[in-house]
């Protein structure tokens, strides 16, 4: 049976039940939990250090009001990194290649930042739609442009994460297919292609981590404008 390269992005199912829920739940099981002992394990210590460093870096430009988002943004960062990395393993499924999931994360969080800005400081929030010193003739055009740019932010968040992961997975599958085809015909070229595939896999590991960081960082920048 012929399969498409895009079949890897379809949500698998078992007995008619989509396994995307299992794929989303699994990352939380992998996180180590603090024990009742006086000394933490090496894994727990490393995780705590990483979370503290990331939280400090993320909340540095925010004022005290934005620090309430620390737990949610840090949890989102760890969640996205884990499911992006798990998606690089063989016979796995990456939920973040689905635009529906990414938009489901981006739209509510972006809307929450906008609502906070409208509730706490409506004048400043609306002032972002019109830069200071704008000529009178350009005021209607700039308001329309800034409104469109505001409304397109969640779409950019979701599409960026989806497109980067989808493109990387497609490229890995294309090069892996080329390796299997060239191996019996031209072994030297196949070995060279396999080396490129290994380097590309390392690059995709970095992309999986960077895209999760960029997703959360942009949300923190949107929050910074509204608190």
């Amino acid at each position: 049976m012929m399969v498409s390269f895009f079949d890897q992005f379809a949500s698998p199912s078992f007995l008619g039940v989509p396994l995307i829920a299992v794929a989303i739940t699994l990352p939380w099981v992998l996180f180590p939990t603090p024990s009742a002992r006086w000394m933490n394990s090496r894994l727990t210590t490393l995780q705590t250090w990483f979370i503290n460093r990331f939280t400090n870096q993320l909340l540095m430009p925010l004022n005290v009001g934005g620090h309430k988002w620390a737990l949610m943004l840090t949890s989102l960062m760890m969640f996205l990194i884990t499911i992006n990395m798990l998606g690089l393993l063989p016979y796995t499924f990456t939920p973040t290649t689905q635009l529906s999931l990414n938009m489901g994360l981006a739209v509510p969080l972006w809307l929450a930042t906008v609502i906070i800005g409208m509730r706490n400081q409506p004048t400043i929030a609306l002032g972002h739609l019109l830069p200071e010193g704008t000529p009178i003739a350009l005021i209607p055009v700039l308001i329309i442009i800034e409104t469109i740019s505001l409304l397109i932010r969640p779409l950019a968040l979701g599409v960026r994460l989806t497109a980067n992961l989808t493109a990387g997975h497609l490229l890995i599958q294309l090069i892996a297919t080329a390796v299997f085809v060239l191996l019996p015909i031209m072994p030297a070229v196949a070995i060279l292609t396999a080396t490129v595939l290994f380097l590309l896999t390392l690059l995709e590991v970095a992309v999986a981590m960077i895209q999760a960081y960029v997703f959360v960082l942009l949300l923190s920048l949107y929050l910074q404008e509204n608190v």
Side-chain angles (χ1 to χ4, degrees):
M1 181 180 64
M2 296 297 293
V3 295
S4 171
F5 284 121
F6 291 92
D7 288 343
Q8 61 175 319
F9 304 112
S11 176
S13 60
F14 181 72
L15 298 177
V17 178
L19 297 182
I20 185 172
V22 180
I24 292 176
T25 308
L26 182 60
W28 303 114
V29 182
L30 301 178
F31 294 158
T33 56
S35 63
R37 300 179 179 178
W38 287 2
M39 298 293 292
N40 291 327
S41 63
R42 292 184 178 89
L43 184 59
T44 304
T45 303
L46 181 62
Q47 180 199 25
T48 305
W49 176 85
F50 171 76
I51 291 176
N52 289 337
R53 293 293 300 173
F54 169 75
T55 305
N56 292 334
Q57 183 71 23
L58 187 66
L59 301 181
M60 189 180 301
L62 297 178
N63 56 23
V64 179
H67 292 179
K68 300 176 182 178
W69 288 57
L71 181 59
M72 183 173 59
L73 292 179
T74 305
S75 301
L76 179 62
M77 169 73 175
M78 298 295 296
F79 176 73
L80 290 177
I81 284 182
T82 309
I83 58 179
N84 289 349
M85 299 284 286
L86 287 176
L88 295 174
L89 298 176
Y91 303 104
T92 56
F93 172 67
T94 312
T96 45
T97 57
Q98 307 296 313
L99 185 60
S100 57
L101 173 65
N102 297 331
M103 293 301 295
L105 293 174
V107 172
L109 293 174
W110 163 83
L111 187 59
T113 61
V114 174
I115 292 175
I116 287 177
M118 292 296 182
R119 186 189 64 179
N120 296 339
Q121 43 185 15
T123 304
I124 299 178
L126 293 175
H128 291 305
L129 301 179
L130 184 62
E132 186 178 356
T134 303
I136 298 178
L138 296 179
I139 288 179
V141 178
L142 283 179
I143 290 178
I144 294 175
I145 293 176
E146 291 296 330
T147 303
I148 294 175
S149 66
L150 178 65
L151 296 177
I152 208 173
R153 284 179 176 181
L155 181 62
L157 280 176
V159 170
R160 179 186 293 106
L161 184 59
T162 304
N164 281 281
L165 295 179
T166 302
H169 287 202
L170 280 176
L171 194 56
I172 287 178
Q173 185 170 356
L174 286 171
I175 297 180
T177 304
V179 171
F180 282 107
V181 172
L182 293 174
L183 190 59
I185 305 174
M186 294 180 287
V189 178
I191 293 175
L192 181 60
T193 308
T195 305
V196 175
L197 178 62
F198 175 74
L199 297 177
L200 180 62
T201 304
L202 296 181
L203 177 63
E204 282 303 309
V205 171
V207 168
M209 301 178 65
I210 291 172
Q211 288 304 315
Y213 175 73
V214 169
F215 189 92
V216 180
L217 179 63
L218 290 177
L219 280 175
S220 68
L221 293 179
Y222 300 157
L223 180 63
Q224 180 184 354
E225 295 179 359
N226 295 281
V227 294

